[in-house]
Amino acid sequence: MTGRAAFEFATANRILFGEGKLAEAAPAVKALGRRALVVTGKSVERAQPLLDLLTDIECVTHAIPGEPKIADVQSGVDAAADCEVVIAMGGGSAIDAGKAIAALCCNPGNPLDYLEVIGKGQPLVNAPLPFIAIPTTAGTGAEVTRNAVLASPEHKVKVSLRHPLMLPQLAIVDPELTYGLPPAITAATGMDALTQLIEPFTCRRANPFTDAICREAIPRAARSLRRAFAGDKAAREDMAYASLSGGLALANSGLGAVHGFAAPIGGMFDAPHGAVCAALLPHSF
């Protein structure tokens, strides 16, 4: 045994994966509260399948029109008044915003008190509101990570709000939710998923557990990304699994140069994060 065999692994309290798993959302939400903030992407309509299930839950919706900004999170905290649980249904932007909102609902001050790099980087004092993540893209793996990436236009950078308590109580990964994803978004998010498997596998903090996850998932992404782009449903399931695996791996072993450069580039230019990763990947190893 070597020192590399020693590691810590932490993830969401519970993960549900598979077609049709969205149907299990209602009882899970009821166990956590009766008033929910539902954070979505720019199209609230994409969350309608979830809202249709939550007939016994009082829901308030909060849309995130693009990559989440500090102001989006602050307005989400205001919208969550009296809410007992936060649910995010959407891509990585909605999920990261939901994580940050759930955290800041229970902690004093403003986002800059807790943000890395541009803020004070203070740890959370109190546990966030219970948080459920339901991805509708296959890319970021944000449903199983402990940080929320937020953009600060004033600083022209994207930075993280990070704490172990921000891991979701439940992640529901239902590949059916990605079936209608446009090809361009499928490609960009898919390249993010692949990058987030390659970097944890090759970075200095890799460990045997994350290596095993990446070894299983990298071939799935490699064989399925083009097919998912063309709309193949079995390939979309592979990509959903690859995205989940990438989140598990990066949260426990870290990333690398691609994401090191992608953060400032994403802060300076209005470009899809996955497309930036795709452009950087061949030049970073």
Side-chain angles (χ1 to χ4, degrees):
M1 299 287 284
T2 66
R4 192 167 180 265
F7 63 90
E8 176 185 350
F9 192 90
T11 189
N13 184 60
R14 183 182 177 206
I15 299 170
L16 296 174
F17 181 93
E19 292 185 354
K21 286 295 183 180
L22 180 64
E24 299 185 36
V29 175
K30 289 179 185 178
L32 296 171
R34 293 286 176 167
R35 179 175 168 84
L37 178 74
V38 179
V39 182
T40 72
K42 63 181 177 180
S43 174
V44 176
E45 289 74 22
R46 290 202 67 191
Q48 195 59 50
L50 171 66
L51 297 174
D52 290 342
L53 293 171
L54 302 180
T55 54
D56 295 331
I57 303 295
E58 183 181 351
C59 293
V60 179
T61 59
H62 180 65
I64 304 298
E67 295 197 350
K69 301 178 179 61
I70 295 173
D72 296 325
V73 170
Q74 190 59 62
S75 62
V77 172
D78 296 336
D82 301 322
C83 287
E84 299 171 306
V85 57
V86 177
I87 309 163
M89 183 173 179
S93 293
I95 293 174
D96 275 359
K99 274 189 282 191
I101 291 167
L104 292 170
C105 278
C106 300
N107 286 274
N110 63 66
L112 285 172
D113 291 328
Y114 305 98
L115 282 169
E116 300 172 347
V117 183
I118 62 172
K120 297 178 182 178
Q122 296 176 350
L124 299 182
V125 177
N126 304 310
L129 286 178
F131 177 65
I132 296 175
I134 308 174
T136 60
T137 65
T140 68
E143 66 272 14
V144 288
T145 62
R146 68 188 81 189
N147 70 301
V149 180
L150 307 180
S152 175
E154 310 93 280
H155 299 88
K156 295 185 177 181
V157 71
K158 294 193 295 186
V159 293
S160 282
L161 193 164
R162 188 188 315 270
H163 196 278
L165 292 174
M166 290 174 62
L167 286 165
Q169 271 67 36
L170 173 64
I172 301 176
V173 184
D174 187 337
E176 288 184 357
L177 299 176
T178 70
Y179 286 176
L181 209 60
I185 298 177
T186 299
T189 55
M191 280 305 304
D192 191 20
L194 180 58
T195 303
Q196 290 179 168
L197 289 164
I198 293 172
E199 287 194 295
F201 189 60
T202 56
C203 74
R204 295 180 64 183
R205 289 173 50 210
N207 64 65
F209 203 68
T210 57
D211 280 354
I213 292 170
C214 294
R215 283 195 184 97
E216 166 67 20
I218 288 173
R220 287 180 183 245
R223 77 190 182 204
S224 297
L225 180 50
R226 286 181 182 272
R227 290 165 44 215
F229 179 84
D232 183 276
K233 291 182 179 179
R236 288 198 180 277
E237 182 172 334
D238 263 356
M239 292 307 301
Y241 181 85
S243 177
L244 172 64
S245 298
L248 293 169
L250 75 88
N252 290 281
S253 64
L255 290 165
V258 173
H259 278 79
F261 285 113
I265 291 173
M268 291 185 288
F269 302 100
D270 185 18
H273 173 71
V276 173
C277 289
L280 291 168
L281 187 60
H283 309 287
S284 300
F285 290 91

